[in-house]
Amino acid sequence: MPEWLYEAGVGEQRAALIDDDGTILRARIAVDGGGPQPGLIAPARLIERDLARLDTGEDVALPRAPAGITLGAAIQVEITRAAIPEPGRPKPPRGRITDAPSRAAPTLRQRLTDAPVRELRAHEPDALEAAGWSEVLEEAITGDIAFPGGMLRLWPTPAMALFDVDGDPPLEVLAVRAATAVAAAIERHDIGGSIGIDFPTLAGREARQAVAAAIDSRLAQPFERTAVNGFGFLQIVRGRTSPSLPEILRADPVGAAARAALRHIERTPPSSPNRFRLPPAVRARITERADWIAALVQRTGRTPIFDA
């Protein structure tokens, strides 16, 4: 039976749904201080007809406010989608006006409700790494996702997430294998919104239908899709409440590397040297965060030393 592995790390929470064969079906990261999250209900003021400002200072995009609510009015806002990072123009969180009382957003741990959860500790064997955690993060950062007989290349863009398929003939077999791999990658990396897949050009209708059937059999509902067109392109639309794993990691590569380094430091045995050599930007990001250092000291009982 699949189970969630959950780890409350320094700077982030992380979780992976592990299949019976030990592979990662879904990987999730919640960065501390990541802004308003879905499920949060909080007081705000309407500053434009389609924009509210929470009392904590964050702006939230809204559907056009109902008639009768004037600019500057106090309102309650429920967050329906977290902010989406984009180069040069991040999308703000989305929300809606509600009469419900204020409440905190559920944490990542609280959202893991569809399978048993095993909470991991730093002194235990690294179950996440044994399941392939670093490999999944590498997929998200580079966009290179291998599958039998081929390779997917993933690009998150402002318009949609794009998958390109490369591999060896016969193309009909390659395309079906790629469809299965794409569906698995979408779930593994929590990719929502509009998704485009560029398959090899397939001449026959039966071959294109086999590709679509492979998507349908592997990708969990709900979603909508087009047929595979004559140029090999298929589009999927899924619900989206948060950025994908690739968007989270690519939006702040130094921060992602710093949090990964914190995980390594926390898991370093007390008998091992307490000196760590990190890239300058990563070292600077960690040392400028007194809260991270304090958390490491509390968890490990020693202050890490960073060599230049």
Side-chain angles (χ1 to χ4, degrees), residues 13 68 78 94 98 124 153 162 176 189 191 228 241 274 280:
Q13 303 170 66
E78 178 178 5
R94 286 182 182 171
T98 179
E124 300 171 340
R153 289 180 170 83
L162 292 172
V176 170
H189 293 285
I191 300 172
V228 182
T241 60
N274 191 37

mmCIF file of all heavy atoms in Angstrom, residues 13 68 78 94 98 124 153 162 176 189 191 228 241 274 280:
data_model
loop_
_atom_site.group_PDB
_atom_site.id
_atom_site.type_symbol
_atom_site.label_atom_id
_atom_site.label_comp_id
_atom_site.label_asym_id
_atom_site.label_seq_id
_atom_site.Cartn_x
_atom_site.Cartn_y
_atom_site.Cartn_z
ATOM 1 N N GLN A 13 8.947 22.138 4.395
ATOM 2 C CA GLN A 13 8.405 20.807 4.624
ATOM 3 C C GLN A 13 8.501 20.051 3.313
ATOM 4 O O GLN A 13 8.367 20.640 2.244
ATOM 5 C CB GLN A 13 6.940 20.871 5.059
ATOM 6 C CG GLN A 13 6.655 21.697 6.291
ATOM 7 C CD GLN A 13 5.161 21.882 6.455
ATOM 8 O OE1 GLN A 13 4.412 20.943 6.689
ATOM 9 N NE2 GLN A 13 4.714 23.122 6.316
ATOM 10 N N GLY A 68 -21.916 46.655 -4.604
ATOM 11 C CA GLY A 68 -22.218 47.019 -3.224
ATOM 12 C C GLY A 68 -21.002 47.039 -2.326
ATOM 13 O O GLY A 68 -21.081 47.534 -1.196
ATOM 14 N N GLU A 78 -10.752 34.276 0.961
ATOM 15 C CA GLU A 78 -10.254 32.905 1.013
ATOM 16 C C GLU A 78 -9.297 32.688 -0.160
ATOM 17 O O GLU A 78 -9.639 32.975 -1.311
ATOM 18 C CB GLU A 78 -11.392 31.890 0.916
ATOM 19 C CG GLU A 78 -10.892 30.448 0.929
ATOM 20 C CD GLU A 78 -12.008 29.425 0.881
ATOM 21 O OE1 GLU A 78 -13.189 29.827 0.748
ATOM 22 O OE2 GLU A 78 -11.710 28.212 0.965
ATOM 23 N N ARG A 94 -4.523 33.960 -5.854
ATOM 24 C CA ARG A 94 -5.921 34.222 -6.186
ATOM 25 C C ARG A 94 -6.786 33.912 -4.975
ATOM 26 O O ARG A 94 -6.464 33.056 -4.150
ATOM 27 C CB ARG A 94 -6.371 33.355 -7.356
ATOM 28 C CG ARG A 94 -5.832 33.778 -8.705
ATOM 29 C CD ARG A 94 -6.374 32.878 -9.781
ATOM 30 N NE ARG A 94 -5.844 33.215 -11.105
ATOM 31 C CZ ARG A 94 -6.024 32.472 -12.183
ATOM 32 N NH1 ARG A 94 -6.719 31.339 -12.102
ATOM 33 N NH2 ARG A 94 -5.516 32.852 -13.349
ATOM 34 N N THR A 98 -15.516 35.956 0.954
ATOM 35 C CA THR A 98 -16.306 34.986 1.686
ATOM 36 C C THR A 98 -16.816 35.616 2.975
ATOM 37 O O THR A 98 -16.280 36.621 3.452
ATOM 38 C CB THR A 98 -15.459 33.740 2.021
ATOM 39 O OG1 THR A 98 -16.247 32.803 2.760
ATOM 40 C CG2 THR A 98 -14.231 34.106 2.843
ATOM 41 N N GLU A 124 17.327 8.917 11.613
ATOM 42 C CA GLU A 124 16.922 7.641 11.018
ATOM 43 C C GLU A 124 17.545 7.480 9.640
ATOM 44 O O GLU A 124 17.998 8.447 9.027
ATOM 45 C CB GLU A 124 15.391 7.594 10.900
ATOM 46 C CG GLU A 124 14.647 7.716 12.217
ATOM 47 C CD GLU A 124 13.149 7.883 12.026
ATOM 48 O OE1 GLU A 124 12.734 8.279 10.920
ATOM 49 O OE2 GLU A 124 12.405 7.617 12.988
ATOM 50 N N ARG A 153 11.632 16.229 -22.101
ATOM 51 C CA ARG A 153 12.210 17.497 -21.677
ATOM 52 C C ARG A 153 11.058 18.431 -21.303
ATOM 53 O O ARG A 153 10.156 18.657 -22.105
ATOM 54 C CB ARG A 153 13.085 18.086 -22.785
ATOM 55 C CG ARG A 153 14.373 17.283 -22.943
ATOM 56 C CD ARG A 153 15.290 17.817 -24.021
ATOM 57 N NE ARG A 153 16.588 17.143 -23.957
ATOM 58 C CZ ARG A 153 16.835 15.952 -24.525
ATOM 59 N NH1 ARG A 153 15.882 15.326 -25.191
ATOM 60 N NH2 ARG A 153 18.031 15.406 -24.419
ATOM 61 N N LEU A 162 5.360 22.611 -20.884
ATOM 62 C CA LEU A 162 5.558 21.927 -22.162
ATOM 63 C C LEU A 162 6.464 20.715 -21.992
ATOM 64 O O LEU A 162 7.523 20.808 -21.353
ATOM 65 C CB LEU A 162 6.176 22.885 -23.182
ATOM 66 C CG LEU A 162 5.281 24.029 -23.657
ATOM 67 C CD1 LEU A 162 6.081 24.999 -24.509
ATOM 68 C CD2 LEU A 162 4.097 23.484 -24.443
ATOM 69 N N VAL A 176 3.573 5.933 -27.052
ATOM 70 C CA VAL A 176 2.771 5.366 -25.960
ATOM 71 C C VAL A 176 3.591 5.327 -24.671
ATOM 72 O O VAL A 176 3.096 5.658 -23.584
ATOM 73 C CB VAL A 176 2.260 3.962 -26.337
ATOM 74 C CG1 VAL A 176 1.648 3.264 -25.124
ATOM 75 C CG2 VAL A 176 1.226 4.062 -27.455
ATOM 76 N N HIS A 189 5.403 15.666 -10.166
ATOM 77 C CA HIS A 189 5.869 17.048 -9.986
ATOM 78 C C HIS A 189 4.730 18.031 -9.715
ATOM 79 O O HIS A 189 4.973 19.248 -9.704
ATOM 80 C CB HIS A 189 6.662 17.475 -11.212
ATOM 81 C CG HIS A 189 7.954 16.734 -11.365
ATOM 82 N ND1 HIS A 189 9.053 16.997 -10.588
ATOM 83 C CD2 HIS A 189 8.319 15.718 -12.192
ATOM 84 C CE1 HIS A 189 10.047 16.190 -10.932
ATOM 85 N NE2 HIS A 189 9.626 15.405 -11.898
ATOM 86 N N ILE A 191 2.086 19.110 -11.458
ATOM 87 C CA ILE A 191 1.927 20.081 -12.544
ATOM 88 C C ILE A 191 0.442 20.251 -12.847
ATOM 89 O O ILE A 191 -0.261 19.271 -13.132
ATOM 90 C CB ILE A 191 2.677 19.613 -13.806
ATOM 91 C CG1 ILE A 191 4.175 19.477 -13.488
ATOM 92 C CG2 ILE A 191 2.467 20.587 -14.952
ATOM 93 C CD1 ILE A 191 4.973 18.844 -14.599
ATOM 94 N N VAL A 228 -4.866 13.813 -29.858
ATOM 95 C CA VAL A 228 -3.557 14.054 -30.467
ATOM 96 C C VAL A 228 -3.795 14.512 -31.900
ATOM 97 O O VAL A 228 -4.430 13.806 -32.686
ATOM 98 C CB VAL A 228 -2.685 12.784 -30.464
ATOM 99 C CG1 VAL A 228 -1.316 13.075 -31.069
ATOM 100 C CG2 VAL A 228 -2.539 12.239 -29.050
ATOM 101 N N THR A 241 -3.753 24.714 -7.844
ATOM 102 C CA THR A 241 -3.863 25.505 -6.620
ATOM 103 C C THR A 241 -2.508 25.973 -6.095
ATOM 104 O O THR A 241 -2.466 26.753 -5.145
ATOM 105 C CB THR A 241 -4.561 24.697 -5.510
ATOM 106 O OG1 THR A 241 -3.803 23.507 -5.240
ATOM 107 C CG2 THR A 241 -5.988 24.308 -5.931
ATOM 108 N N ASN A 274 32.179 18.771 11.582
ATOM 109 C CA ASN A 274 31.117 19.781 11.572
ATOM 110 C C ASN A 274 31.475 20.955 10.659
ATOM 111 O O ASN A 274 31.025 22.071 10.853
ATOM 112 C CB ASN A 274 30.873 20.280 13.008
ATOM 113 C CG ASN A 274 29.618 21.126 13.116
ATOM 114 O OD1 ASN A 274 28.614 20.840 12.451
ATOM 115 N ND2 ASN A 274 29.666 22.163 13.932
ATOM 116 N N PRO A 280 29.597 29.736 -2.744
ATOM 117 C CA PRO A 280 29.496 31.022 -2.024
ATOM 118 C C PRO A 280 28.069 31.549 -1.881
ATOM 119 O O PRO A 280 27.689 32.034 -0.812
ATOM 120 C CB PRO A 280 30.372 31.956 -2.857
ATOM 121 C CG PRO A 280 31.370 31.052 -3.514
ATOM 122 C CD PRO A 280 30.641 29.773 -3.787
#
